[in-house]
Amino acid sequence: MNMKWKLNNITMIMNNLTGKDYRLQQLFENKHEFGVPCHEFILPFDETFRKSSYHIFKCFIENPLNNNAISLLLKGKEGCRRAEVLNILGFKKWIIVSDYVFDKNKPQDVITFSIMPHVKDFNELKNKINTLQKKDIKHSDSINPEFIKFFQEFPIFNISISINKKFKLFTDEKLFSNQQISGYIKQIEHWIENEKNIEKYIKQKDLLIKLLEKLNRKEPSFKEIRRIFFIGAITTYLMYLITSFIPKLEVIGWFSDRDTIIYYKEKELGGYLIFQYIQDLYHVFCESKNLKQSNIAFGLPEEQGEMWFDELVRLPDFIAGTLADYNKEENEFSHDKFIPLFEKVFTNENKNLIFNVFIGNNNNSFEMRVTRATFDKI
């Protein structure tokens, strides 16, 4: 079905970045022989995010309930005074829930993060969502208008990334992965020599050595590895931004839909690679900017059957499923059920952001491009 909205790619230029500069550019200015790997796509993503979306996201994190009194208190305040207000009134516990659509039969591959403060008891929130929408979008013939209203009224901020199909992080992924993992191992060895909790790092080193051995086999598959490092980096980036906004943050929880990136060779490696990667990269990001780190909690989904946080994943599931079904060229969806959610949720940029990311070969050269997408009414 055709729509009354049209896709528009933008990159807005900000006049100023007030306060501290938390951009990531300097992390990549000096090359090191070791470190936690992070693909340089994060730089154009960071730049585009800051030029087009930084203040939108910051306003939500600082005042997710859109409380007028808090807005007035924050208005015009910077530095210590602003931090004092947020330290008293800011939410100290946050949840990031993610879902993915990698489907050759859909126009787009999409990754969605639904971000919300901990304002409601976990079980109450799950029950509320289940009451409004009992099935995921794939198995729903329609979307309950009250569920759409929930998206509009509950403090949920959705960030979706449309990534080019069959994206690659490097032309020679085997060489790239070897270099990245080898440097990662050296970083762990550095921590073993200089930190107190060496048992944890010894286990991490063992996991990475097994991973390196696996990637050096004759014909390894890099599909899950590239997704782990891409999704892991974006997840960490969002955690890092929230940390930079809220003083004395207590905990950020990440709850991912059941996917191969979570269980990637877990029994062979002896642990969950993506959890370790996010924890380590978050540490590096925060240390580089002298930010007080929050505790990080990971939700581990069951390998089979219903997940214990299945209702939460229904939020990014509906956003990712809708965007993945959207045909940019034809400006249409395959089913009418997607239209109401799109028109009433996607078009509110104060709580929903969409980015188009391209990473890979284009005309015999390797390119990275990031644009923010909006929709104009026609």
PDB file of all heavy atoms in Angstrom, residues 230-261:
ATOM      1  N   PHE A 230      29.498  -5.237  14.694  1.00  0.00           N
ATOM      2  CA  PHE A 230      28.696  -4.084  14.300  1.00  0.00           C
ATOM      3  C   PHE A 230      27.640  -3.772  15.372  1.00  0.00           C
ATOM      4  O   PHE A 230      27.566  -2.652  15.889  1.00  0.00           O
ATOM      5  CB  PHE A 230      28.016  -4.343  12.957  1.00  0.00           C
ATOM      6  CG  PHE A 230      27.202  -3.177  12.459  1.00  0.00           C
ATOM      7  CD1 PHE A 230      27.809  -2.137  11.784  1.00  0.00           C
ATOM      8  CD2 PHE A 230      25.834  -3.116  12.682  1.00  0.00           C
ATOM      9  CE1 PHE A 230      27.074  -1.047  11.337  1.00  0.00           C
ATOM     10  CE2 PHE A 230      25.081  -2.037  12.242  1.00  0.00           C
ATOM     11  CZ  PHE A 230      25.697  -0.998  11.561  1.00  0.00           C
ATOM     12  N   ILE A 231      26.826  -4.758  15.706  1.00  0.00           N
ATOM     13  CA  ILE A 231      25.764  -4.549  16.688  1.00  0.00           C
ATOM     14  C   ILE A 231      26.353  -4.247  18.063  1.00  0.00           C
ATOM     15  O   ILE A 231      25.850  -3.387  18.797  1.00  0.00           O
ATOM     16  CB  ILE A 231      24.832  -5.775  16.738  1.00  0.00           C
ATOM     17  CG1 ILE A 231      24.086  -5.913  15.399  1.00  0.00           C
ATOM     18  CG2 ILE A 231      23.847  -5.683  17.899  1.00  0.00           C
ATOM     19  CD1 ILE A 231      23.331  -7.222  15.232  1.00  0.00           C
ATOM     20  N   GLY A 232      27.444  -4.943  18.399  1.00  0.00           N
ATOM     21  CA  GLY A 232      28.097  -4.697  19.680  1.00  0.00           C
ATOM     22  C   GLY A 232      28.603  -3.271  19.804  1.00  0.00           C
ATOM     23  O   GLY A 232      28.476  -2.636  20.855  1.00  0.00           O
ATOM     24  N   ALA A 233      29.168  -2.729  18.712  1.00  0.00           N
ATOM     25  CA  ALA A 233      29.694  -1.362  18.743  1.00  0.00           C
ATOM     26  C   ALA A 233      28.577  -0.334  18.888  1.00  0.00           C
ATOM     27  O   ALA A 233      28.698   0.634  19.644  1.00  0.00           O
ATOM     28  CB  ALA A 233      30.513  -1.090  17.485  1.00  0.00           C
ATOM     29  N   ILE A 234      27.466  -0.522  18.164  1.00  0.00           N
ATOM     30  CA  ILE A 234      26.344   0.415  18.268  1.00  0.00           C
ATOM     31  C   ILE A 234      25.720   0.356  19.659  1.00  0.00           C
ATOM     32  O   ILE A 234      25.393   1.391  20.263  1.00  0.00           O
ATOM     33  CB  ILE A 234      25.275   0.127  17.197  1.00  0.00           C
ATOM     34  CG1 ILE A 234      25.843   0.354  15.796  1.00  0.00           C
ATOM     35  CG2 ILE A 234      24.051   1.000  17.421  1.00  0.00           C
ATOM     36  CD1 ILE A 234      26.149   1.791  15.466  1.00  0.00           C
ATOM     37  N   THR A 235      25.544  -0.849  20.193  1.00  0.00           N
ATOM     38  CA  THR A 235      24.999  -1.004  21.536  1.00  0.00           C
ATOM     39  C   THR A 235      25.871  -0.270  22.550  1.00  0.00           C
ATOM     40  O   THR A 235      25.376   0.469  23.412  1.00  0.00           O
ATOM     41  CB  THR A 235      24.901  -2.491  21.917  1.00  0.00           C
ATOM     42  OG1 THR A 235      24.114  -3.185  20.953  1.00  0.00           O
ATOM     43  CG2 THR A 235      24.268  -2.666  23.289  1.00  0.00           C
ATOM     44  N   THR A 236      27.181  -0.465  22.437  1.00  0.00           N
ATOM     45  CA  THR A 236      28.115   0.193  23.347  1.00  0.00           C
ATOM     46  C   THR A 236      28.063   1.702  23.185  1.00  0.00           C
ATOM     47  O   THR A 236      28.104   2.451  24.172  1.00  0.00           O
ATOM     48  CB  THR A 236      29.547  -0.304  23.078  1.00  0.00           C
ATOM     49  OG1 THR A 236      29.575  -1.733  23.147  1.00  0.00           O
ATOM     50  CG2 THR A 236      30.518   0.261  24.106  1.00  0.00           C
ATOM     51  N   TYR A 237      27.970   2.160  21.955  1.00  0.00           N
ATOM     52  CA  TYR A 237      27.901   3.597  21.681  1.00  0.00           C
ATOM     53  C   TYR A 237      26.696   4.226  22.381  1.00  0.00           C
ATOM     54  O   TYR A 237      26.807   5.301  22.994  1.00  0.00           O
ATOM     55  CB  TYR A 237      27.829   3.810  20.170  1.00  0.00           C
ATOM     56  CG  TYR A 237      27.674   5.254  19.746  1.00  0.00           C
ATOM     57  CD1 TYR A 237      28.764   6.115  19.751  1.00  0.00           C
ATOM     58  CD2 TYR A 237      26.436   5.753  19.333  1.00  0.00           C
ATOM     59  CE1 TYR A 237      28.631   7.446  19.363  1.00  0.00           C
ATOM     60  CE2 TYR A 237      26.293   7.077  18.947  1.00  0.00           C
ATOM     61  CZ  TYR A 237      27.390   7.912  18.955  1.00  0.00           C
ATOM     62  OH  TYR A 237      27.248   9.226  18.576  1.00  0.00           O
ATOM     63  N   LEU A 238      25.550   3.567  22.320  1.00  0.00           N
ATOM     64  CA  LEU A 238      24.352   4.095  22.973  1.00  0.00           C
ATOM     65  C   LEU A 238      24.509   4.087  24.494  1.00  0.00           C
ATOM     66  O   LEU A 238      24.109   5.043  25.169  1.00  0.00           O
ATOM     67  CB  LEU A 238      23.127   3.276  22.559  1.00  0.00           C
ATOM     68  CG  LEU A 238      22.769   3.340  21.063  1.00  0.00           C
ATOM     69  CD1 LEU A 238      21.618   2.395  20.749  1.00  0.00           C
ATOM     70  CD2 LEU A 238      22.423   4.763  20.640  1.00  0.00           C
ATOM     71  N   MET A 239      25.104   3.040  25.040  1.00  0.00           N
ATOM     72  CA  MET A 239      25.381   3.000  26.473  1.00  0.00           C
ATOM     73  C   MET A 239      26.301   4.142  26.874  1.00  0.00           C
ATOM     74  O   MET A 239      26.099   4.807  27.906  1.00  0.00           O
ATOM     75  CB  MET A 239      26.032   1.664  26.849  1.00  0.00           C
ATOM     76  CG  MET A 239      25.132   0.456  26.753  1.00  0.00           C
ATOM     77  SD  MET A 239      26.055  -1.059  27.171  1.00  0.00           S
ATOM     78  CE  MET A 239      24.726  -2.275  27.198  1.00  0.00           C
ATOM     79  N   TYR A 240      27.297   4.375  26.062  1.00  0.00           N
ATOM     80  CA  TYR A 240      28.278   5.434  26.299  1.00  0.00           C
ATOM     81  C   TYR A 240      27.621   6.812  26.287  1.00  0.00           C
ATOM     82  O   TYR A 240      27.896   7.658  27.149  1.00  0.00           O
ATOM     83  CB  TYR A 240      29.369   5.303  25.236  1.00  0.00           C
ATOM     84  CG  TYR A 240      30.241   6.507  25.020  1.00  0.00           C
ATOM     85  CD1 TYR A 240      31.268   6.814  25.903  1.00  0.00           C
ATOM     86  CD2 TYR A 240      30.061   7.316  23.902  1.00  0.00           C
ATOM     87  CE1 TYR A 240      32.083   7.910  25.687  1.00  0.00           C
ATOM     88  CE2 TYR A 240      30.877   8.411  23.679  1.00  0.00           C
ATOM     89  CZ  TYR A 240      31.881   8.710  24.580  1.00  0.00           C
ATOM     90  OH  TYR A 240      32.688   9.794  24.364  1.00  0.00           O
ATOM     91  N   LEU A 241      26.726   7.047  25.333  1.00  0.00           N
ATOM     92  CA  LEU A 241      26.027   8.330  25.276  1.00  0.00           C
ATOM     93  C   LEU A 241      25.158   8.542  26.517  1.00  0.00           C
ATOM     94  O   LEU A 241      25.164   9.632  27.112  1.00  0.00           O
ATOM     95  CB  LEU A 241      25.164   8.416  24.023  1.00  0.00           C
ATOM     96  CG  LEU A 241      25.859   8.714  22.698  1.00  0.00           C
ATOM     97  CD1 LEU A 241      24.834   8.784  21.571  1.00  0.00           C
ATOM     98  CD2 LEU A 241      26.648  10.017  22.752  1.00  0.00           C
ATOM     99  N   ILE A 242      24.408   7.514  26.904  1.00  0.00           N
ATOM    100  CA  ILE A 242      23.561   7.630  28.097  1.00  0.00           C
ATOM    101  C   ILE A 242      24.427   7.945  29.313  1.00  0.00           C
ATOM    102  O   ILE A 242      24.073   8.789  30.148  1.00  0.00           O
ATOM    103  CB  ILE A 242      22.755   6.336  28.309  1.00  0.00           C
ATOM    104  CG1 ILE A 242      21.766   6.121  27.161  1.00  0.00           C
ATOM    105  CG2 ILE A 242      22.001   6.375  29.643  1.00  0.00           C
ATOM    106  CD1 ILE A 242      21.090   4.768  27.168  1.00  0.00           C
ATOM    107  N   THR A 243      25.574   7.288  29.411  1.00  0.00           N
ATOM    108  CA  THR A 243      26.499   7.522  30.521  1.00  0.00           C
ATOM    109  C   THR A 243      26.998   8.963  30.531  1.00  0.00           C
ATOM    110  O   THR A 243      27.165   9.559  31.601  1.00  0.00           O
ATOM    111  CB  THR A 243      27.689   6.552  30.428  1.00  0.00           C
ATOM    112  OG1 THR A 243      27.209   5.207  30.374  1.00  0.00           O
ATOM    113  CG2 THR A 243      28.617   6.696  31.633  1.00  0.00           C
ATOM    114  N   SER A 244      27.235   9.523  29.354  1.00  0.00           N
ATOM    115  CA  SER A 244      27.730  10.900  29.273  1.00  0.00           C
ATOM    116  C   SER A 244      26.661  11.922  29.653  1.00  0.00           C
ATOM    117  O   SER A 244      26.975  13.042  30.044  1.00  0.00           O
ATOM    118  CB  SER A 244      28.255  11.193  27.863  1.00  0.00           C
ATOM    119  OG  SER A 244      27.196  11.320  26.921  1.00  0.00           O
ATOM    120  N   PHE A 245      25.384  11.540  29.577  1.00  0.00           N
ATOM    121  CA  PHE A 245      24.290  12.456  29.884  1.00  0.00           C
ATOM    122  C   PHE A 245      23.883  12.435  31.357  1.00  0.00           C
ATOM    123  O   PHE A 245      23.468  13.459  31.901  1.00  0.00           O
ATOM    124  CB  PHE A 245      23.049  12.118  29.038  1.00  0.00           C
ATOM    125  CG  PHE A 245      23.235  12.268  27.555  1.00  0.00           C
ATOM    126  CD1 PHE A 245      22.558  11.436  26.674  1.00  0.00           C
ATOM    127  CD2 PHE A 245      24.080  13.236  27.034  1.00  0.00           C
ATOM    128  CE1 PHE A 245      22.721  11.566  25.301  1.00  0.00           C
ATOM    129  CE2 PHE A 245      24.251  13.369  25.667  1.00  0.00           C
ATOM    130  CZ  PHE A 245      23.565  12.532  24.801  1.00  0.00           C
ATOM    131  N   ILE A 246      23.943  11.262  31.987  1.00  0.00           N
ATOM    132  CA  ILE A 246      23.393  11.090  33.332  1.00  0.00           C
ATOM    133  C   ILE A 246      24.510  10.846  34.352  1.00  0.00           C
ATOM    134  O   ILE A 246      25.166   9.801  34.308  1.00  0.00           O
ATOM    135  CB  ILE A 246      22.396   9.913  33.378  1.00  0.00           C
ATOM    136  CG1 ILE A 246      21.267  10.119  32.380  1.00  0.00           C
ATOM    137  CG2 ILE A 246      21.841   9.747  34.791  1.00  0.00           C
ATOM    138  CD1 ILE A 246      20.380  11.319  32.664  1.00  0.00           C
ATOM    139  N   PRO A 247      24.742  11.791  35.263  1.00  0.00           N
ATOM    140  CA  PRO A 247      25.755  11.573  36.309  1.00  0.00           C
ATOM    141  C   PRO A 247      25.323  10.437  37.233  1.00  0.00           C
ATOM    142  O   PRO A 247      24.134  10.229  37.477  1.00  0.00           O
ATOM    143  CB  PRO A 247      25.771  12.910  37.067  1.00  0.00           C
ATOM    144  CG  PRO A 247      25.070  13.886  36.188  1.00  0.00           C
ATOM    145  CD  PRO A 247      24.092  13.106  35.367  1.00  0.00           C
ATOM    146  N   LYS A 248      26.274   9.713  37.731  1.00  0.00           N
ATOM    147  CA  LYS A 248      26.025   8.651  38.707  1.00  0.00           C
ATOM    148  C   LYS A 248      24.999   7.629  38.222  1.00  0.00           C
ATOM    149  O   LYS A 248      24.126   7.181  38.976  1.00  0.00           O
ATOM    150  CB  LYS A 248      25.588   9.253  40.047  1.00  0.00           C
ATOM    151  CG  LYS A 248      26.654  10.146  40.668  1.00  0.00           C
ATOM    152  CD  LYS A 248      26.233  10.677  42.023  1.00  0.00           C
ATOM    153  CE  LYS A 248      27.321  11.555  42.623  1.00  0.00           C
ATOM    154  NZ  LYS A 248      26.925  12.110  43.939  1.00  0.00           N
ATOM    155  N   LEU A 249      25.107   7.288  36.959  1.00  0.00           N
ATOM    156  CA  LEU A 249      24.256   6.253  36.391  1.00  0.00           C
ATOM    157  C   LEU A 249      24.525   4.937  37.125  1.00  0.00           C
ATOM    158  O   LEU A 249      25.672   4.591  37.387  1.00  0.00           O
ATOM    159  CB  LEU A 249      24.579   6.106  34.896  1.00  0.00           C
ATOM    160  CG  LEU A 249      23.643   5.304  34.017  1.00  0.00           C
ATOM    161  CD1 LEU A 249      22.302   6.005  33.876  1.00  0.00           C
ATOM    162  CD2 LEU A 249      24.284   5.127  32.640  1.00  0.00           C
ATOM    163  N   GLU A 250      23.471   4.183  37.420  1.00  0.00           N
ATOM    164  CA  GLU A 250      23.639   2.964  38.208  1.00  0.00           C
ATOM    165  C   GLU A 250      23.745   1.712  37.350  1.00  0.00           C
ATOM    166  O   GLU A 250      24.614   0.867  37.573  1.00  0.00           O
ATOM    167  CB  GLU A 250      22.478   2.817  39.194  1.00  0.00           C
ATOM    168  CG  GLU A 250      22.458   3.893  40.269  1.00  0.00           C
ATOM    169  CD  GLU A 250      21.251   3.776  41.189  1.00  0.00           C
ATOM    170  OE1 GLU A 250      20.510   2.768  41.061  1.00  0.00           O
ATOM    171  OE2 GLU A 250      21.048   4.667  42.022  1.00  0.00           O
ATOM    172  N   VAL A 251      22.850   1.561  36.390  1.00  0.00           N
ATOM    173  CA  VAL A 251      22.870   0.329  35.593  1.00  0.00           C
ATOM    174  C   VAL A 251      22.214   0.560  34.239  1.00  0.00           C
ATOM    175  O   VAL A 251      21.249   1.317  34.115  1.00  0.00           O
ATOM    176  CB  VAL A 251      22.160  -0.829  36.348  1.00  0.00           C
ATOM    177  CG1 VAL A 251      20.693  -0.531  36.555  1.00  0.00           C
ATOM    178  CG2 VAL A 251      22.343  -2.162  35.618  1.00  0.00           C
ATOM    179  N   ILE A 252      22.772  -0.087  33.225  1.00  0.00           N
ATOM    180  CA  ILE A 252      22.156  -0.168  31.897  1.00  0.00           C
ATOM    181  C   ILE A 252      22.019  -1.647  31.571  1.00  0.00           C
ATOM    182  O   ILE A 252      22.999  -2.395  31.609  1.00  0.00           O
ATOM    183  CB  ILE A 252      23.006   0.516  30.810  1.00  0.00           C
ATOM    184  CG1 ILE A 252      23.328   1.954  31.184  1.00  0.00           C
ATOM    185  CG2 ILE A 252      22.273   0.470  29.461  1.00  0.00           C
ATOM    186  CD1 ILE A 252      24.255   2.650  30.199  1.00  0.00           C
ATOM    187  N   GLY A 253      20.803  -2.066  31.245  1.00  0.00           N
ATOM    188  CA  GLY A 253      20.576  -3.459  30.873  1.00  0.00           C
ATOM    189  C   GLY A 253      20.369  -3.595  29.385  1.00  0.00           C
ATOM    190  O   GLY A 253      19.667  -2.780  28.774  1.00  0.00           O
ATOM    191  N   TRP A 254      20.995  -4.598  28.787  1.00  0.00           N
ATOM    192  CA  TRP A 254      20.800  -4.869  27.362  1.00  0.00           C
ATOM    193  C   TRP A 254      20.084  -6.202  27.206  1.00  0.00           C
ATOM    194  O   TRP A 254      20.551  -7.236  27.687  1.00  0.00           O
ATOM    195  CB  TRP A 254      22.127  -4.906  26.606  1.00  0.00           C
ATOM    196  CG  TRP A 254      21.957  -5.151  25.133  1.00  0.00           C
ATOM    197  CD1 TRP A 254      21.124  -4.483  24.291  1.00  0.00           C
ATOM    198  CD2 TRP A 254      22.631  -6.129  24.329  1.00  0.00           C
ATOM    199  NE1 TRP A 254      21.239  -4.970  23.008  1.00  0.00           N
ATOM    200  CE2 TRP A 254      22.153  -5.987  23.000  1.00  0.00           C
ATOM    201  CE3 TRP A 254      23.584  -7.107  24.585  1.00  0.00           C
ATOM    202  CZ2 TRP A 254      22.601  -6.785  21.951  1.00  0.00           C
ATOM    203  CZ3 TRP A 254      24.041  -7.902  23.542  1.00  0.00           C
ATOM    204  CH2 TRP A 254      23.550  -7.735  22.239  1.00  0.00           C
ATOM    205  N   PHE A 255      18.956  -6.167  26.526  1.00  0.00           N
ATOM    206  CA  PHE A 255      18.131  -7.350  26.316  1.00  0.00           C
ATOM    207  C   PHE A 255      17.952  -7.540  24.813  1.00  0.00           C
ATOM    208  O   PHE A 255      17.249  -6.773  24.158  1.00  0.00           O
ATOM    209  CB  PHE A 255      16.775  -7.185  26.998  1.00  0.00           C
ATOM    210  CG  PHE A 255      16.880  -7.001  28.485  1.00  0.00           C
ATOM    211  CD1 PHE A 255      17.088  -5.730  29.024  1.00  0.00           C
ATOM    212  CD2 PHE A 255      16.797  -8.078  29.340  1.00  0.00           C
ATOM    213  CE1 PHE A 255      17.196  -5.549  30.392  1.00  0.00           C
ATOM    214  CE2 PHE A 255      16.908  -7.910  30.715  1.00  0.00           C
ATOM    215  CZ  PHE A 255      17.110  -6.640  31.243  1.00  0.00           C
ATOM    216  N   SER A 256      18.611  -8.535  24.283  1.00  0.00           N
ATOM    217  CA  SER A 256      18.578  -8.799  22.845  1.00  0.00           C
ATOM    218  C   SER A 256      17.642  -9.948  22.524  1.00  0.00           C
ATOM    219  O   SER A 256      17.517 -10.910  23.298  1.00  0.00           O
ATOM    220  CB  SER A 256      19.986  -9.152  22.349  1.00  0.00           C
ATOM    221  OG  SER A 256      19.948  -9.663  21.030  1.00  0.00           O
ATOM    222  N   ASP A 257      16.985  -9.838  21.373  1.00  0.00           N
ATOM    223  CA  ASP A 257      16.209 -10.971  20.899  1.00  0.00           C
ATOM    224  C   ASP A 257      17.140 -12.160  20.696  1.00  0.00           C
ATOM    225  O   ASP A 257      18.351 -12.010  20.496  1.00  0.00           O
ATOM    226  CB  ASP A 257      15.515 -10.608  19.578  1.00  0.00           C
ATOM    227  CG  ASP A 257      14.531 -11.681  19.126  1.00  0.00           C
ATOM    228  OD1 ASP A 257      14.064 -12.451  19.983  1.00  0.00           O
ATOM    229  OD2 ASP A 257      14.241 -11.740  17.919  1.00  0.00           O
ATOM    230  N   ARG A 258      16.561 -13.339  20.753  1.00  0.00           N
ATOM    231  CA  ARG A 258      17.337 -14.554  20.520  1.00  0.00           C
ATOM    232  C   ARG A 258      17.919 -14.516  19.112  1.00  0.00           C
ATOM    233  O   ARG A 258      17.194 -14.369  18.135  1.00  0.00           O
ATOM    234  CB  ARG A 258      16.421 -15.763  20.694  1.00  0.00           C
ATOM    235  CG  ARG A 258      17.115 -17.086  20.531  1.00  0.00           C
ATOM    236  CD  ARG A 258      16.245 -18.212  21.034  1.00  0.00           C
ATOM    237  NE  ARG A 258      14.849 -18.029  20.691  1.00  0.00           N
ATOM    238  CZ  ARG A 258      13.841 -18.218  21.548  1.00  0.00           C
ATOM    239  NH1 ARG A 258      14.070 -18.567  22.780  1.00  0.00           N
ATOM    240  NH2 ARG A 258      12.595 -18.048  21.154  1.00  0.00           N
ATOM    241  N   ASP A 259      19.226 -14.610  19.008  1.00  0.00           N
ATOM    242  CA  ASP A 259      19.887 -14.498  17.716  1.00  0.00           C
ATOM    243  C   ASP A 259      21.224 -15.219  17.792  1.00  0.00           C
ATOM    244  O   ASP A 259      21.784 -15.417  18.880  1.00  0.00           O
ATOM    245  CB  ASP A 259      20.105 -13.018  17.366  1.00  0.00           C
ATOM    246  CG  ASP A 259      20.543 -12.814  15.930  1.00  0.00           C
ATOM    247  OD1 ASP A 259      19.664 -12.684  15.058  1.00  0.00           O
ATOM    248  OD2 ASP A 259      21.755 -12.809  15.676  1.00  0.00           O
ATOM    249  N   THR A 260      21.762 -15.579  16.636  1.00  0.00           N
ATOM    250  CA  THR A 260      23.041 -16.296  16.608  1.00  0.00           C
ATOM    251  C   THR A 260      24.181 -15.463  17.166  1.00  0.00           C
ATOM    252  O   THR A 260      25.197 -16.013  17.601  1.00  0.00           O
ATOM    253  CB  THR A 260      23.389 -16.723  15.166  1.00  0.00           C
ATOM    254  OG1 THR A 260      23.328 -15.568  14.308  1.00  0.00           O
ATOM    255  CG2 THR A 260      22.427 -17.784  14.663  1.00  0.00           C
ATOM    256  N   ILE A 261      24.039 -14.126  17.181  1.00  0.00           N
ATOM    257  CA  ILE A 261      25.121 -13.300  17.732  1.00  0.00           C
ATOM    258  C   ILE A 261      25.257 -13.500  19.241  1.00  0.00           C
ATOM    259  O   ILE A 261      26.347 -13.308  19.797  1.00  0.00           O
ATOM    260  CB  ILE A 261      24.915 -11.798  17.428  1.00  0.00           C
ATOM    261  CG1 ILE A 261      23.644 -11.273  18.100  1.00  0.00           C
ATOM    262  CG2 ILE A 261      24.903 -11.538  15.939  1.00  0.00           C
ATOM    263  CD1 ILE A 261      23.538  -9.766  18.093  1.00  0.00           C
TER     264      ILE A 261
END
